[in-house]
Amino acid sequence: EAGVTQFPSHSVIEKGQTVTLRCDPISGHDNLYWYRRVMGKEIKFLLHFVKESKQDESGMPNNRFLAERTGGTYSTLKVQPAELEDSGVYFCASRRGQTNTEAFFGQGTRLTVV
Amino acid sequence: SQELEQSPQSLIVQEGKNLTINCTSSKTLYGLYWYKQKYGEGLIFLMMLQKGGEEKSHEKITAKLDEKKQQSSLHITASQPSHAGIYLCGADSIQGAQKLVFGQGTRLTINP
């Protein structure tokens, strides 16, 4: 089966611009997660979808970040307007179950805000 | 919230040597995962532990979860250059809640 796919792999944008990241989970995986790793720091949870519903968005930094998963398939994470501190690697993961099941990760999107 | 502490944060070992990475939680773990990340790549699943005292092995990597389910260790025997990378432990925050959180990672370097 195809793995978790993220697009783009890299993005360089100017401060104040908008960027949209996309994640295509493994087919049939209801649970989709977004994470972010800022340089030198740990992977931080951003939010969790169950199908199209936001189960937990406690990790979203602020209202400049908007995640959607219309139809319960792919998900987008939009940053508007982007700030310098938003730079980092954004990972998406999906898994079939809600706990005690392996989560599959995408390759990540490296976002650089200049 | 679930906090996972990994130690050491970085580790440099000579090829062929054994090593251990630890992951400690302040709360009972209900699903402990070990992942590995190589630079520029996503996280690769290694193992999942659920039961107290459980131990799993894959090739030269062994992971254990203690009886109290608050500490896990990852042991690599006869390390090879291919073992280099960042090792992360992750856990489901509490039973019934599906948030999957991670420790800060351990950067492993293998010197030839």
Side-chain angles (χ1 to χ4, degrees), chain A residues 8-22:
Chain A
S9 56
H10 294 83
S11 180
V12 181
I13 61 170
E14 293 184 351
K15 176 182 173 181
Q17 288 186 321
T18 297
V19 63
T20 300
L21 313 181
R22 173 170 169 145

Side-chain angles (χ1 to χ4, degrees), chain A residues 31 33 35 37 41-43 45 48 50 55-56 58 91 95 98-107 110, chain B residues 30-31 33 35 37 39-43 45 48 50 86 88 92 96-105:
Chain A
N31 294 275
Y33 305 80
Y35 295 88
R37 168 170 260 168
K41 299 193 176 181
E42 75 262 34
I43 292 177
F45 168 86
H48 169 211
V50 178
Q55 183 76 18
D56 184 338
S58 60
F91 289 103
R95 61 180 176 177
Q98 294 181 347
T99 56
N100 294 326
T101 54
E102 174 188 351
F104 295 83
F105 279 78
Q107 299 285 75
R110 182 173 295 277
Chain B
Y30 289 99
Y33 309 85
Y35 283 82
Q37 184 191 13
Y39 180 77
E41 299 179 13
L43 279 67
F45 173 79
M48 178 178 71
Q50 294 174 247
I86 300 173
L88 297 115
D92 295 314
Q98 301 92 27
K99 188 161 77 173
L100 175 58
V101 296
F102 289 90
Q104 74 272 43

Side-chain angles (χ1 to χ4, degrees), chain B residues 4-17:
Chain B
L4 295 173
E5 286 289 328
Q6 284 186 240
S7 62
Q9 292 189 24
S10 66
L11 189 56
I12 302 173
V13 300
Q14 201 74 24
E15 182 178 353
K17 297 294 186 183

Side-chain angles (χ1 to χ4, degrees), chain B residues 3-8 20-29 31-35 47-56 61-75 88-91 106:
Chain B
E3 289 188 354
L4 295 173
E5 286 289 328
Q6 284 186 240
S7 62
T20 300
I21 299 169
N22 294 301
C23 176
T24 302
S25 170
S26 56
K27 300 179 181 178
T28 301
L29 298 165
L32 187 286
Y33 309 85
W34 283 100
Y35 283 82
M47 273 171 276
M48 178 178 71
L49 303 167
Q50 294 174 247
K51 301 175 183 176
E54 187 174 8
E55 179 176 320
K56 287 187 178 178
I61 301 177
T62 300
K64 301 177 185 179
L65 182 61
D66 75 336
E67 289 289 344
K68 291 185 179 179
K69 295 169 64 175
Q70 286 188 281
Q71 186 169 1
S72 178
S73 61
L74 186 82
H75 184 76
L88 297 115
C89 66
T106 296

